[in-house]
Amino acid sequence: DTGVSQDPRHKITKRGQNVTFRCDPISEHNRLYWYRQTLGQGPEFLTYFQNEAQLEKSRLLSDRFSAERPKGSFSTLEIQRTEQGDSAMYLCASSLAYDRVLGGYTFGSGTRLTVV
Amino acid sequence: SQQGEEDPQALSIQEGENATMNCSYKTSINNLQWYRQNSGRGLVHLILIRSNEREKHSGRLRVTLDTSKKSSSLLITASRAADTASYFCAFVIGAGGTSYGKLTFGQGTILTVHP
């Protein structure tokens, strides 16, 4: 593994369209996180998986957002009926189980979404 | 809000000078981490300090943690132009082992190092 991969790097979509992003974590990491970051702000937590189980979803996340992690490997984040307020950088990160975390998260380069 | 607060919001220094960034938080934490983000890219983990530690070093980085004041500082010594980036503190809420490690981020400090 060379790190966490996210695809695509950039996505421009029209308001109302659905978009899906993919994240491939480091293979031995069982924890996967999605964050959203707007300009000038720190990342905000969206959701978290341990293996294939989605254990927490932020109250900031509307019902238009859904995330999956089938088989505990890659994850997808889908946004339905996109709105201009969804424009942001979507970051994926992975880590080992908490009690063995020595070096923090490994982040991907992010997917920048622009809704026009 | 449980989000961390960072100070200053922006810092501009000359190459060779030291840069100090501060982070404050409001809850009990298990550990605190610092990350760097170059413009438009993902975050890179710099250093992690646990709640029972007071100071930690990694190369030109020095991190302190004062749990009584709920604050941390990141010192970059002998700064270089390549250190120009945004720096974020992030912490794991909770003093016990039940936390799954969700990070809460501060708003970041933009550091500019002039050659």
Side-chain angles (χ1 to χ4, degrees):
Chain A
D1 276 328
T2 57
V4 177
S5 299
Q6 291 190 246
D7 182 70
R9 289 292 310 276
H10 303 275
K11 178 71 175 179
I12 300 174
T13 190
K14 292 184 178 180
R15 190 174 53 186
Q17 298 293 305
N18 298 345
V19 294
T20 299
F21 309 142
R22 177 180 170 124
C23 172
D24 287 274
I26 293 175
S27 58
E28 60 265 31
H29 285 182
N30 58 351
R31 293 185 169 170
L32 186 148
Y33 306 82
W34 284 98
Y35 280 79
R36 178 173 63 191
Q37 186 180 25
T38 54
L39 196 63
Q41 299 296 315
E44 290 182 299
F45 171 78
L46 293 180
T47 190
Y48 152 74
F49 291 86
Q50 178 151 317
N51 300 314
E52 67 275 10
Q54 186 175 18
L55 297 186
E56 185 174 341
K57 188 175 176 180
S58 168
R59 287 172 288 180
L60 300 173
L61 221 55
S62 76
D63 291 342
R64 298 184 295 106
F65 288 71
S66 63
E68 294 183 340
R69 192 184 182 195
K71 302 179 183 178
S73 55
F74 70 93
S75 177
T76 58
L77 176 69
E78 180 183 17
I79 309 174
Q80 296 181 326
R81 305 181 303 282
T82 52
E83 302 172 355
Q84 286 188 324
D86 297 331
S87 295
M89 174 79 88
Y90 290 83
L91 295 164
C92 176
S94 68
S95 74
L96 292 167
Y98 174 69
D99 59 352
R100 296 195 310 233
V101 169
L102 298 177
Y105 289 2
T106 302
F107 276 86
S109 296
T111 293
R112 181 167 295 283
L113 173 66
T114 303
V115 181
V116 298
Chain B
S1 168
Q2 294 178 327
Q3 194 173 25
E5 295 184 2
E6 294 190 56
D7 172 63
Q9 290 187 341
L11 182 60
S12 181
I13 60 174
Q14 295 296 125
E15 213 167 24
E17 294 180 340
N18 295 342
T20 300
M21 289 158 266
N22 303 294
C23 170
S24 61
Y25 54 91
K26 297 179 181 178
T27 66
S28 295
I29 63 170
N30 188 284
N31 68 66
L32 188 142
Q33 304 175 29
W34 286 88
Y35 287 80
R36 183 186 72 213
Q37 185 177 38
N38 290 90
S39 181
R41 305 300 299 273
L43 286 84
V44 175
H45 180 263
L46 296 176
I47 196 165
L48 179 153
I49 186 167
R50 301 191 185 281
S51 60
N52 61 353
E53 297 176 312
R54 293 296 168 258
E55 188 170 313
K56 205 161 184 180
H57 297 256
S58 176
R60 294 184 296 113
L61 306 179
R62 172 177 168 251
V63 169
T64 60
L65 179 65
D66 187 334
T67 53
S68 65
K69 295 181 179 178
K70 293 186 168 53
S71 67
S72 175
S73 67
L74 171 68
L75 169 67
I76 304 174
T77 61
S79 62
R80 306 166 182 169
D83 294 328
T84 295
S86 293
Y87 291 82
F88 295 91
C89 69
F91 46 87
V92 176
I93 293 173
T98 57
S99 168
Y100 54 74
K102 181 180 81 173
L103 285 175
T104 300
F105 283 84
Q107 293 160 318
T109 293
I110 300 172
L111 173 65
T112 303
V113 181
H114 300 281

